[in-house]
Amino acid sequence: MTTTQKTQTVSTNPTMPTVFVCRPLPERGLAQLRGLANLKIWPGPLPPDRAQLLAGVAGCVGIASLVTDRMDGEVMDATATLKVICNVAVGYDNVDWRAAKARGVLVTNTPGVLTETSADMAWALLMAAARHIPQSAEFARAGNWKTWEFDKFLGRDVYGATLGIAGFGRIGQAVAKRAAGFGMRILYHNRNRNEAAELALGAQFVSKDELLRHSDFVSLNMSMNESSRHFIGVRELALMKPTAVLINTARGPVVDTAALTEAMQTRRIFAAALDVTDPEPLPYTHPLYALDNVIIVPHLASATVDTRGRMAEIACANMAAVLRGERPPNVIAELAG
Ligand code: GLV
């Protein structure tokens, strides 16, 4: 348990500022901070609990946070010297940027580096759900493969199907790019229409409801904010084709978990594949795990050796810039002005 964990202070040089790093990050990132700051590194793998976090950040000028670490006004107030929160993620719904703005604290993220890796994961889940990959692999491993069964594990065709992408930013567009090899019709919905991307990717802008009605695969790729909360609920699930597959690699609260559970229990749609859940982690007793039409993986979209290494590098480069008295390169849009 985290209560037994101690924060490591790797170096203590009284002339240098101190930063709190919420988990051991790859050295290719941390190396940029050595010589600029004392590092207090939470050993993980579990996040620091609230008391540990508040105690850990005290006296620090910077915090390198993960998506699991809630950065709110209370945490910011626990260190009077705080200048920057460097989130090691592209999403920053765990950071109260309004509280940061009010306190003059900068917030940075790691945009760009995880686009392709996250799009790969959306596709991995799409294919896995369409063709029952985890369920059938488990079936074989358990010794149940007795013969070639004509009607077992029948999936859905991907080639030539309609892919609906909700959220057409960097990751959504990278998901679309991959569809070209599958001869798919691509629909998208986004707050703003993007005609250049439409042309480049052969995608068609549609309303949210049209997307839900006409797509065989619905991939959620928007960022989490007040307007994307419960983007998929009872009404939306009712609009989807009974043969449709829902893929969520965005953020858990984009989908209403209770509505999804009911829809999957009653087989309202064909399958759901979730990289993110609400709450997160989803307790292992949750009824969604018991369903053979649901795949849940533990928030892995950016989880490749190279991408996680580059995320650490970028987050630490942001931190290093602040420590050198420079403007960090990846200040989040809300604070960039
Ligand atoms: C991961 O979920 C991220 O936002 O980078």
Side-chain angles (χ1 to χ4, degrees):
M1 287 304 296
T2 51
T3 43
T4 59
Q5 293 175 333
K6 290 272 179 300
T7 313
Q8 309 162 23
T9 303
V10 173
S11 52
T12 26
N13 178 340
T15 65
M16 288 199 303
T18 300
V19 300
F20 186 74
V21 185
C22 289
R23 226 75 93 243
L25 295 176
E27 186 53 31
R28 59 194 266 198
L30 293 178
Q32 301 175 72
L33 302 178
R34 301 191 194 286
L36 289 175
N38 298 305
L39 305 183
K40 270 164 101 181
I41 304 172
W42 182 255
L46 293 178
D49 67 22
R50 197 70 184 163
Q52 291 160 336
L53 182 60
L54 295 176
V57 302
C60 291
V61 300
I63 306 173
S65 53
L66 274 61
V67 291
T68 44
D69 308 307
R70 189 158 51 84
M71 295 288 126
D72 55 15
E74 188 185 22
V75 174
M76 297 171 202
D77 290 340
T79 170
T81 46
L82 188 65
K83 290 189 180 151
V84 69
I85 295 174
C86 300
N87 216 35
V88 194
V90 64
Y92 44 90
D93 49 301
N94 59 308
V95 183
D96 183 347
W97 60 263
R98 290 188 180 84
K101 190 172 186 176
R103 289 162 177 79
V105 169
L106 286 176
V107 178
T108 64
N109 68 343
T110 65
V113 283
L114 44 72
T115 302
E116 303 300 341
T117 306
S118 300
D120 285 349
M121 187 63 171
W123 266 89
L125 287 175
L126 184 158
M127 300 291 279
R131 301 301 294 272
H132 302 293
I133 302 297
Q135 301 90 331
S136 56
E138 200 42 54
F139 173 89
R141 187 196 298 272
N144 295 318
W145 186 10
K146 306 288 187 227
T147 184
W148 187 83
E149 292 187 59
F150 196 75
D151 57 358
K152 193 143 186 81
F153 293 120
L154 302 187
R156 296 283 162 194
D157 281 319
V158 176
Y159 191 86
T162 298
L163 172 63
I165 302 173
F168 212 55
R170 270 186 284 244
I171 298 175
Q173 291 176 39
V175 169
K177 209 183 298 166
R178 284 154 177 72
F182 289 86
M184 294 178 108
R185 175 180 175 222
I186 304 167
L187 307 178
Y188 81 96
H189 180 71
N190 197 52
R191 268 182 305 198
N192 306 309
R193 193 168 167 181
N194 183 340
E195 291 178 20
E198 276 172 37
L199 268 176
L201 298 165
Q204 185 187 344
F205 179 74
V206 290
S207 70
K208 173 181 174 179
D209 289 3
E210 277 178 288
L211 180 127
L212 295 170
R213 275 200 195 96
H214 300 300
S215 298
D216 299 305
F217 297 91
V218 174
S219 178
L220 304 176
N221 296 105
M222 69 275 282
S223 57
M224 182 65 218
N225 52 46
E226 289 82 356
S227 61
S228 57
R229 189 180 162 72
H230 289 188
F231 179 86
I232 299 289
V234 175
R235 189 189 77 83
E236 288 77 13
L237 287 157
L239 289 178
M240 291 174 70
K241 294 185 181 184
T243 51
V245 173
L246 177 70
I247 303 111
N248 188 8
T249 53
R251 281 292 184 265
V254 168
V255 175
D256 175 350
T257 304
L260 181 69
T261 306
E262 156 79 16
M264 300 321 292
Q265 282 170 333
T266 56
R267 302 198 172 262
R268 176 65 206 83
I269 60 172
F270 181 71
L274 313 174
D275 181 50
V276 286
T277 58
D278 180 26
E280 201 168 290
L282 194 68
Y284 78 99
T285 49
H286 195 280
L288 276 176
Y289 287 114
L291 298 171
D292 65 0
N293 51 359
V294 177
I295 299 172
I296 300 171
V297 297
H299 201 150
L300 295 177
S302 64
T304 66
V305 175
D306 199 45
T307 294
R308 286 282 163 90
R310 284 157 70 206
M311 287 163 70
E313 261 174 19
I314 291 178
C316 291
N318 284 318
M319 181 77 80
V322 173
L323 292 167
R324 285 194 296 264
E326 297 160 10
R327 176 97 178 153
N330 303 113
V331 175
I332 63 166
E334 290 85 348
L335 304 183

